[in-house]
Amino acid sequence: MASLKPTFITQVAEALLLTSGCPSVRSVAETLGLSEVQARASLEALALANAIELKDDIVCVRSRAELAAAAIRLGGDPERVSRRLDWRDFEALVASALQEAGFSVSRSVRLPGRGGLEVDVVGALGRVAVAVDCKRWSYRSSSPSRIGEAARRHRLRSQRLASIWGSLGLPRASVLVPALVVLREDLPRFVEGVAVVPVLALRGFIEDLEAVADEVGIRVA
């Protein structure tokens, strides 16, 4: 097998993020000017990270956000890879992961009142609900200070949501967890009373939501 090179990981991830459908290994290699062996080494690494499906010579992207995060973890260039994403990629991933876990999901929940406040994704299951703000920021943009400010704003937004929960027609819940979903993995787990969730840790976070609610949950009115 060809050695796994960060430059190849970056190129392959970018190519997949710019391609619709399920390309062949050969077409990916030809697009990038790589040999099939070089392209396949990167694709197999991404498949092992569960970011893509690789069947015979066909490549299908499971989740654009997870693909980018996996490529970065494997040494891909964070800035180049993250430029190929937008907030819709994160929102789709969060909504899908919550639905797979059995949550009732609402997207783009607008809060009445001044300021035009909106929550990207809201999920509810049993007593616990989660309000997610999707931050597609690049690594360079995701500084601790910027994350801190985003967390403060989202905590206030989530408190507002919890206070009017019953009037919005959302499923019944008793505690609301505010969370930011981000690309970076080297940030604190909690900031300003908000869970900070790397894309690749999203499903584990959902599984642990009951415990997280005991730490940063907001009582629902």
Side-chain angles (χ1 to χ4, degrees), residues 29 33 42 45 59 64 75 78-79 89 94 96 112 135 151 163 169 173 182 189 202 213 221:
S42 294
V59 185
R64 288 170 53 84
E79 300 304 317
D89 296 320
V94 172
S96 175
K135 292 302 185 189
S163 71
V182 298
R189 188 180 177 205
L202 176 61

Side-chain angles (χ1 to χ4, degrees), residues 52-124:
I52 62 171
E53 292 182 3
L54 180 59
K55 294 183 178 179
D56 298 323
D57 289 325
I58 301 300
V59 185
C60 294
V61 176
R62 292 165 53 89
S63 159
R64 288 170 53 84
E66 287 182 315
L67 166 58
I72 291 168
R73 178 179 283 182
L74 290 168
D77 186 299
E79 300 304 317
R80 284 178 56 183
V81 172
S82 61
R83 279 202 304 267
R84 305 302 179 186
L85 299 175
D86 64 28
W87 63 268
R88 288 180 291 268
D89 296 320
F90 277 60
E91 188 174 297
L93 171 62
V94 172
S96 175
L98 286 169
Q99 288 169 340
E100 289 173 7
F103 283 70
S104 296
V105 175
S106 301
R107 297 171 65 169
S108 302
V109 177
R110 294 189 63 82
L111 308 182
R114 297 177 59 186
L117 298 179
E118 185 173 283
V119 178
D120 292 337
V121 183
V122 175

Side-chain angles (χ1 to χ4, degrees), residues 146-193:
R146 194 176 187 195
I147 291 292
E149 179 59 27
R152 283 189 289 274
R153 290 176 181 273
H154 189 51
R155 179 79 185 184
L156 292 173
R157 189 185 303 120
S158 298
Q159 289 171 337
R160 169 67 175 154
L161 173 61
S163 71
I164 59 171
W165 184 273
S167 67
L168 297 177
L170 296 167
R172 294 186 64 179
S174 59
V175 61
L176 176 66
V177 174
L180 299 180
V181 171
V182 298
L183 199 56
R184 291 189 73 143
E185 295 187 272
D186 58 349
L187 295 167
R189 188 180 177 205
F190 299 106
V191 176
E192 300 289 342

